Amino acid sequence: MRDLSQLPLLKQSPDKSSRLQLLVLSNGHGEDIIAGRIIKELQQLSSPPDIFALPIVGEGRAYQNLNVPCIGEVKTMPSGGFIYMDSRQLMRDVQGGLVQLTWKQIQAVRGWVSSQTKLGNQKAILAVGDIVPLLFASISGANYAFVGTAKSEYYVRDELGLLPRKSKSARWENFSGSIYHPWERWLMSLSRCRAVFPRDALTTEILRKWPIPAFDVGNPMMDGLDPSFGNARFYHNHVEQAEMEIVRPLVVTLLPGSRAGEAYDNWEVMMIAVSALIESFRERETVFLGAIAPGLDGNLFSQSLKIPGWQKCDQSPVQLADANALMFQQKNAYLILTQQAYNDCLHLGDLAIAMAGTATEQFIGLGKPAIAIPGKGPQYNPGFAEAQSRLLGSSLILVDQPTKAAQVTRSLLQNPDLLHEISENGVKRMGLPGAAKRIAECLQERLT
């Protein structure tokens, strides 16, 4: 991608010079998407800023789709951004030029700030992700704000206190009284840090123990998830209503992840869970919704259905807003593959079989349970799944074998009190929709 760090600045028209010039930093595909949601809301403000971006990891396609110019050099690393899970992935990135790229990106950020200063423009930085973009912002010389997507106090505690942990090394995560380490809190407490937006209310509460301008406005991950139909909730608080669930199909959403290679392996594991569920619920119509990321090869998923005996069909009990969806039937079970109706899959599912990061959290944020099967990684491995179970609490149930998903599903459906608790827990841990707009409004107030 061309380095645009200088070009847009020199061609600004006089009427734009008084507007805030905002540089958005993010370090990952999911972080790019979250930043994109905030950018959309910023663009809707009465006095929107001029926005630039620097995707520290990857090529920043989310910014390209918004026509936001990227400054500096961008490059996709071999790990795809998962270096914190595996030291071998880090070494691959280092060999792929990570150190040189990072230095060039730091220079690009400082160069952008310097150019804006020379032009007399008001400038600021929005860092989205973890300590990497936060550090970039802090050494830029400009005022900045931070959207913390990577850390939550729920990883180490809940509202009742610290979580019991078996590993002695786990003490390191909370050694200073917060999931955020002292050096991270220091970067958030500098006078040029004008606002911090943690993932949830619990993390905000803990960070406010220090002189950190933390605001509890929700989690942008829950924005943009509206289905193509009116919201539907299938779980009820009363036993009599829950018992009536048998009259409609059981809908299970399948979330294999979005990383090529790993997602295909995850799908094979999930098909074992699907077969167990079909066998366990022979008396009830069951629908499986395969939410396949658009960037994956859908043919590889449909080809795997030829082995268990699925047959293509023309209709199913559940309709999705995707004319290209593929439908299969096996006895009284249906499986739908879609790469265009992700939101519908989230809302229609009674529960999910999950081997994904963001998608699992979004599903649970809608107040629903998910059964997780740790895979081989590099993302959804046992370590990641265990950490995610702490983040999401009772809403995420880990199983060590895919066949156990059937037993867990039956137990869930027979426990309406637990389903009610899960519903409340998911909303509490992931927040209500509308966070991106609330962040944008707060940024307008704090950065200008």
Side-chain angles (χ1 to χ4, degrees):
M1 184 178 294
R2 192 159 53 114
D3 186 346
L4 300 178
S5 57
Q6 303 298 324
L7 183 59
L9 308 178
L10 301 178
K11 291 192 174 182
Q12 291 183 99
S13 55
D15 62 316
K16 285 189 177 182
S17 61
S18 61
R19 292 162 60 173
L20 174 68
Q21 307 297 298
L22 182 67
L23 174 61
V24 180
L25 308 176
S26 56
N27 64 324
H29 174 68
E31 289 78 3
D32 293 353
I33 293 175
I34 290 173
R37 293 185 183 133
I38 298 171
I39 288 173
K40 287 182 180 179
E41 296 297 338
L42 285 167
Q43 292 171 336
Q44 298 301 314
L45 297 175
S46 56
S47 299
D50 294 328
I51 302 174
F52 306 87
L54 176 58
I56 299 172
V57 175
E59 298 180 358
R61 292 178 181 174
Y63 299 120
Q64 297 175 32
N65 295 336
L66 292 170
N67 293 318
V68 172
C70 291
I71 72 164
E73 183 177 338
V74 297
K75 182 179 180 181
T76 299
M77 288 286 107
S79 73
F82 296 114
I83 59 175
Y84 67 91
M85 299 174 201
D86 190 337
S87 59
R88 290 173 298 180
Q89 297 286 342
L90 173 59
M91 289 307 301
R92 289 177 61 200
D93 281 6
V94 170
Q95 294 170 356
L98 175 62
V99 176
Q100 297 91 329
L101 176 65
T102 300
W103 175 242
K104 290 179 181 178
Q105 290 175 333
I106 291 175
Q107 290 179 311
V109 172
R110 293 179 64 87
W112 182 87
V113 172
S114 176
S115 298
Q116 296 292 353
T117 301
K118 291 178 181 177
L119 290 170
N121 292 337
Q122 186 179 16
K123 72 280 183 184
I125 293 179
L126 174 63
V128 181
D130 56 21
I131 190 174
V132 176
L134 175 60
L135 181 61
F136 277 34
S138 68
I139 63 178
S140 69
N143 290 339
Y144 58 94
F146 175 52
V147 180
T149 65
K151 287 193 172 185
S152 167
E153 289 295 332
Y154 282 116
Y155 281 117
V156 295
R157 73 179 80 233
D158 59 19
E159 286 76 10
L160 300 178
L162 292 176
L163 302 176
R165 304 286 296 282
K166 296 180 181 179
S167 171
K168 292 183 179 179
S169 62
R171 299 176 184 174
W172 168 253
E173 296 177 341
N174 187 59
F175 78 98
S176 65
S178 170
I179 189 72
Y180 280 103
H181 297 316
W183 48 90
E184 295 171 308
R185 300 197 303 264
W186 178 71
L187 295 175
M188 288 185 269
S189 63
L190 295 175
S191 60
R192 286 187 291 105
C193 182
R194 308 307 301 273
V196 173
F197 305 101
R199 283 180 57 112
D200 47 66
L202 180 62
T203 308
T204 304
E205 178 186 346
I206 297 296
L207 286 179
R208 283 176 177 169
K209 294 180 179 180
W210 293 273
I212 294 173
F215 296 88
D216 178 25
V217 296
N219 189 337
M221 286 174 61
M222 297 309 299
D223 290 353
L225 299 179
D226 293 335
S228 62
F229 49 85
N231 288 359
R233 295 190 63 179
F234 298 130
Y235 288 139
H236 307 285
N237 299 334
H238 302 292
V239 177
E240 309 89 77
Q241 290 175 306
E243 289 175 347
M244 294 175 62
E245 292 291 296
I246 196 70
V247 303
R248 66 166 192 84
L250 171 66
V251 182
V252 180
T253 299
L254 306 176
L255 303 171
S258 59
R259 182 182 172 91
E262 180 178 358
Y264 307 133
D265 293 337
N266 291 346
W267 183 255
E268 297 297 334
V269 174
M270 298 174 86
M271 287 301 97
I272 299 174
V274 167
S275 296
L277 282 163
I278 293 174
E279 181 64 24
S280 180
F281 288 88
R282 285 180 291 180
E283 79 286 355
R284 183 173 180 180
E285 204 168 40
T286 309
V287 179
F288 299 92
L289 304 178
I292 310 303
L296 299 178
D297 186 348
N299 292 327
L300 294 179
F301 292 90
S302 59
Q303 288 173 6
S304 68
L305 298 177
K306 296 178 181 179
I307 300 175
W310 292 94
Q311 299 293 326
K312 277 193 174 183
C313 61
D314 297 326
Q315 54 185 337
S316 78
V318 172
Q319 301 301 314
L320 300 177
D322 180 4
N324 298 316
L326 299 178
M327 292 176 283
F328 302 85
Q329 183 177 4
Q330 182 180 152
K331 300 178 182 178
N332 65 334
Y334 296 82
L335 193 152
I336 306 175
L337 292 177
T338 176
Q339 294 183 279
Q340 300 176 22
Y342 173 71
N343 290 3
D344 287 359
C345 289
L346 294 186
H347 283 268
L348 286 169
D350 296 319
L351 71 150
I353 306 297
M355 300 179 73
T358 298
T360 303
E361 295 172 27
Q362 290 174 325
F363 187 88
I364 281 175
L366 295 176
K368 304 178 181 187
I371 301 170
I373 310 168
K376 297 179 180 179
Q379 182 189 19
Y380 212 80
N381 53 37
F384 184 98
E386 188 276 332
Q388 191 181 53
S389 71
R390 284 183 274 120
L391 172 68
L392 301 173
S394 60
S395 299
L396 185 67
I397 301 100
L398 295 184
V399 296
D400 56 5
Q401 297 294 330
T403 54
K404 294 183 179 179
Q407 178 184 349
V408 172
T409 300
R410 280 204 173 275
S411 178
L412 283 169
L413 296 180
Q414 293 168 2
N415 193 338
D417 290 337
L418 176 58
L419 292 175
H420 179 66
E421 174 193 325
I422 286 173
S423 177
E424 293 185 337
N425 176 73
V427 175
K428 177 175 62 177
R429 300 208 177 205
M430 293 301 299
L432 296 172
K437 181 178 181 180
R438 294 187 287 270
I439 289 174
E441 293 171 344
C442 188
L443 289 173
Q444 184 181 46
E445 179 182 344
R446 300 288 297 181
L447 294 179
T448 57

